Amino acid sequence: DQQVKQNSPSLSVQEGRISILNCDYTNSMFDYFLWYKKYPAEGPTFLISISSIKDKNEDGRFTVFLNKSAKHLSLHIVPSQPGDSAVYFCAASAGQTGANNLFFGTGTRLTVIP
Amino acid sequence: GAVVSQHPSRVICKSGTSVKIECRSLDFQATTMFWYRQFPKQSLMLMATSNEGSKATYEQGVEKDKFLINHASLTLSTLTVTSAHPEDSSFYICSAREGKGGDYRHQPQHFGDGTRLSIL
């Protein structure tokens, strides 16, 4: 049972425009959400996170939005750069009882076109 | 910062061999390390969690006698796949989390580059 879902396997965006990557989850106990970026032949690299007490967290060009009522989060990258081309995974964990278990989505491949 | 080194990156060996994979946190102390497995076209699945100096906690369905985990120091955890068989062929990846101050549960996990294990 996939508790974290990324329904778009791929996304192409022009350089300079905004990239929006989406993620949905089913477990209402999740209280911590992360985005990871992965290049080929490398492990995932932590990008940005958000706690469920917030609805937005921003770090430079990257902003994560959390809509708890919709069980939805998104990652906005603006402006997009060719170096952002990678696979992006969202992940979630459930605080007290499940803090160790990160549930991952299946990833979205972002291609930024120069 | 937060670099995790995993070695080896690829292993090919015969059935019945035991294979050891190392995971090191290079610039931070990892109170907790995690071992994941990824099957083709699926997301990462947690196998076990190890805390320095104590026994690993295995997820349901993971054989602890098959996948031996040792977390001897704050910077090193090892996964040994014992008597490996072709069905153990997979991508194994470790991660590490700092345990310092505040709500450690909300510290991100930092990943190694993974090990592709192929058992002939």
Side-chain angles (χ1 to χ4, degrees):
Chain A
D1 179 30
Q2 193 75 22
Q3 298 189 48
V4 177
K5 298 178 183 178
Q6 292 175 258
N7 292 318
S8 298
S10 63
L11 174 69
S12 292
V13 172
Q14 285 290 137
E15 180 178 5
R17 307 293 290 269
I18 184 171
S19 295
I20 301 176
L21 298 111
N22 293 303
C23 180
D24 296 292
Y25 60 96
T26 58
N27 189 340
S28 58
M29 298 301 291
F30 287 151
D31 66 348
Y32 182 53
F33 305 88
L34 311 90
W35 282 95
Y36 285 85
K37 175 181 178 180
K38 185 182 183 303
Y39 292 116
E42 295 183 10
T45 301
F46 170 70
L47 204 53
I48 192 169
S49 64
I50 188 167
S51 164
S52 61
I53 62 174
K54 295 184 176 181
D55 55 19
K56 176 183 174 181
N57 188 25
E58 190 173 349
D59 184 2
R61 297 186 296 115
F62 302 92
T63 303
V64 55
F65 295 91
L66 175 63
N67 183 333
K68 290 185 290 292
S69 61
K71 294 190 179 69
H72 177 85
L73 67 154
S74 60
L75 175 68
H76 292 209
I77 306 172
V78 56
S80 301
Q81 299 173 355
D84 296 329
S85 297
V87 178
Y88 289 79
F89 292 92
C90 69
S93 68
Q96 290 274 8
T97 57
N100 289 334
N101 199 349
L102 275 183
F103 291 86
F104 283 85
T106 50
T108 297
R109 181 177 300 280
L110 173 66
T111 302
V112 179
I113 304 164
Chain B
V3 178
V4 174
S5 173
Q6 186 173 341
H7 178 81
S9 59
R10 186 171 180 91
V11 179
I12 302 173
C13 58
K14 293 181 179 179
S15 184
T17 307
S18 291
V19 178
K20 180 185 282 189
I21 304 170
E22 290 189 349
C23 181
R24 294 180 185 273
S25 57
L26 298 186
D27 52 1
F28 67 99
Q29 293 189 323
T31 306
T32 309
M33 288 185 166
F34 307 86
W35 289 95
Y36 292 82
R37 184 172 180 175
Q38 185 176 27
F39 292 102
K41 297 187 178 180
Q42 294 187 25
S43 54
L44 295 175
M45 297 295 293
L46 181 67
M47 297 174 64
T49 302
S50 72
N51 292 295
E52 185 265 338
S54 62
K55 289 184 179 180
T57 302
Y58 290 80
E59 296 299 305
Q60 192 172 14
V62 178
E63 299 175 61
K64 60 182 180 182
D65 294 330
K66 160 69 87 175
F67 300 100
L68 300 179
I69 291 172
N70 183 278
H71 193 161
S73 75
L74 284 171
T75 59
L76 173 65
S77 177
T78 60
L79 167 68
T80 301
V81 183
T82 61
S83 187
H85 289 93
E87 60 266 28
D88 299 322
S89 298
S90 191
F91 183 72
Y92 295 86
I93 191 166
C94 71
S95 70
R97 184 178 69 195
E98 290 185 83
K100 63 180 183 182
D103 187 356
Y104 69 93
R105 298 164 303 177
H106 285 182
Q107 296 281 345
Q109 294 179 27
H110 301 283
F111 286 82
D113 287 343
T115 298
R116 174 73 58 191
L117 176 62
S118 300
I119 308 298
L120 305 177

